[in-house]
Amino acid sequence: MVTITHPNFGEYEVETVVVDSRSSFTIACSPHRHVMPSNGGIRWSKYKTLSHQKDEAIMLANAMDLKHGFYSTGFSGGKIVVNSSLAPDEAPHVFDAIGETLNRYAGSMYTGCDINTNSAHMAYLRKSTPWILDAMDSPQISTSLATGYGVWSALAAVLQLSPRTNGTPLVAIHGMGKVGLEVARQCLDHGYDVIGFDVKQGITTPNGLCLLSEDDFWSRAPDVLCIASLSRILDMQTVERINARWVISSSNTPFDSPEAEARLLERGIGYLPDYVSNAGAVICDSIERSFPDVFRAMTQDQANKYTGALIGTKTGELIKRAELLGCNIPTLLSRTYFHVGNRVNLGEVAEIIRPSALV
């Protein structure tokens, strides 16, 4: 493991393991993981180079740092990025190697699901390592659904405090995975019109959801655009196509550059960052680790309501404060919750926040 100071994301401990000629993985952790354990899921994809793989791990660990810090989960940020030409189901030996690595970390890094990994993979991984948080002892709870409900709660707060002048709100969702579909279901249940887009064909969607082609999707003018697909999906060209009043991200780090985010804000479009809206899974992780008996007895509805209450309240607070200060939410966050150009000083935070100090 080496300590890397990234020009955009600060200092992280990084380890890359080459499993074989087709698969490798990188773990990026906060340097404060021994006082406040790192936590972040396993993302499985195909990257062009080891350098791209490492950059993705650091970028995502930083996104997790922001999320854990904002909700005081008792964790610091971490991420595992697998770079493989094999599908996860074809590569149990990669999970074995991840398990061996996590055991060396001895509880200073926890993991769970992310893009292209699921609870079945975590069940296999748990055979070799105990450092898994994925509601393993609470099969009645899906943390993906809790995440989706949290995003919905943020979206509902935005529409309540920034209502349209007339007619039914229109929500556009980019990405029809578990989270995107849950956001869609909640929007439909609450009487909103919903349009969606996904690169995959033949997706089963709720009644009332209108799937569009990519060109049609970006041509619409929704009240809220929800990004529930991939990281870095919003480049400069895509930002110029957005006609929404608000963008809410469920995907970690949705912009491919600071300039793309700045351009969105310059256009007067409201933006709620991913680490505010998509924290449902890490909130569940915090309950699972700090209150395991409570979590084992929780229902999906209770987990949803708990995460929704936290995220909806935080979102409403940010909207009201930003309005009173005459700024946008990212500016408010950068100047109050997180110092400009600096990550949260988790070394100091760890001294004053107990692991169970979820707020």
Side-chain angles (χ1 to χ4, degrees):
M1 172 171 283
V2 297
T3 300
I4 294 176
T5 301
H6 192 282
N8 295 326
F9 305 121
E11 190 175 274
Y12 285 90
E13 293 183 352
V14 180
E15 179 176 2
T16 295
V17 176
V18 178
V19 181
D20 55 32
S21 61
R22 295 185 290 182
S23 303
S24 60
F25 63 87
T26 294
I27 298 183
C29 297
S30 164
H32 306 293
R33 62 188 172 89
H34 294 290
V35 290
M36 188 176 285
S38 294
N39 177 23
I42 300 173
R43 179 168 296 197
W44 195 294
S45 191
K46 185 71 180 77
Y47 298 90
K48 294 179 181 179
T49 65
L50 280 176
S51 178
H52 285 91
Q53 168 186 328
K54 292 176 184 178
D55 281 349
E56 183 88 340
I58 294 170
M59 178 271 287
L60 292 170
N62 176 257
M64 297 301 294
D65 250 345
L66 294 172
K67 195 182 309 181
H68 288 303
F70 188 72
Y71 285 100
S72 301
T73 63
F75 293 107
S76 59
K79 207 71 177 183
I80 301 176
V81 168
V82 177
N83 183 7
S84 181
S85 59
L86 299 172
D89 291 342
E90 301 172 316
H93 63 293
V94 175
F95 289 108
D96 294 339
I98 292 172
E100 292 174 8
T101 306
L102 289 174
N103 288 338
R104 280 198 283 106
Y105 286 31
S108 63
M109 171 69 187
Y110 288 79
T111 196
C113 296
D114 195 58
I115 292 175
N116 294 325
T117 57
N118 57 40
S119 294
H121 301 134
M122 295 308 106
Y124 177 85
L125 182 57
R126 200 185 192 195
K127 295 177 181 178
S128 60
T129 185
W131 311 113
I132 312 296
L133 289 171
D134 186 50
M136 302 299 294
D137 296 320
S138 305
Q140 74 279 9
I141 293 177
S142 165
T143 57
S144 294
L145 293 182
T147 298
Y149 193 88
V151 175
W152 143 253
S153 300
L155 189 153
V158 164
L159 288 176
Q160 180 181 0
L161 294 172
S162 180
R164 66 181 295 146
T165 55
N166 55 65
T168 302
L170 174 63
V171 176
I173 304 172
H174 192 277
M176 291 286 112
K178 290 181 181 179
V179 173
L181 286 173
E182 179 62 16
V183 176
R185 280 189 289 266
Q186 294 299 329
C187 287
L188 291 167
D189 286 348
H190 287 80
Y192 301 163
D193 292 329
V194 184
I195 58 175
F197 169 77
D198 197 283
V199 294
K200 296 179 181 178
Q201 302 296 315
I203 296 172
T204 301
T205 59
N207 291 333
L209 172 61
C210 180
L211 280 181
L212 303 176
S213 69
E214 187 168 16
D215 284 342
D216 286 345
F217 180 84
W218 293 115
S219 69
R220 298 299 181 92
D223 293 278
V224 177
L225 166 64
C226 176
I227 302 298
S229 47
L230 297 173
S231 299
R232 299 190 175 104
I233 200 74
L234 299 179
D235 56 20
M236 289 292 281
Q237 182 179 5
T238 305
V239 164
E240 294 295 346
R241 301 176 71 182
I242 292 174
N243 297 308
R245 294 194 295 121
W246 278 85
V247 173
I248 295 177
S249 182
S250 171
S251 301
N252 290 334
T253 316
F255 296 97
D256 80 334
S257 68
E259 291 77 16
E261 179 177 348
R263 177 57 184 152
L264 183 88
L265 299 175
E266 185 181 84
R267 293 186 58 209
I269 297 172
Y271 173 53
L272 188 71
D274 50 291
Y275 57 85
V276 177
S277 59
N278 75 350
V282 301
I283 291 170
C284 286
D285 287 350
S286 185
I287 305 170
E288 183 178 4
R289 177 170 175 255
S290 300
F291 301 94
D293 292 339
V294 172
F295 193 68
R296 279 193 291 269
M298 264 187 166
T299 64
Q300 182 72 58
D301 186 59
Q302 288 172 325
N304 288 352
K305 288 181 178 178
Y306 187 88
T307 58
L310 279 176
I311 294 171
T313 299
K314 286 283 192 182
T315 300
E317 172 198 323
L318 291 174
I319 293 171
K320 292 175 183 177
R321 290 175 60 190
E323 182 178 339
L324 288 169
L325 293 173
C327 66
N328 55 53
I329 288 175
T331 299
L332 171 66
L333 288 167
S334 68
R335 296 183 184 179
T336 54
Y337 288 93
F338 309 108
H339 295 297
V340 176
N342 253 326
R343 294 190 311 112
V344 182
N345 189 334
L346 288 171
E348 295 178 3
V349 172
E351 296 300 319
I352 59 174
I353 298 181
R354 296 179 296 106
S356 61
L358 180 68
V359 295

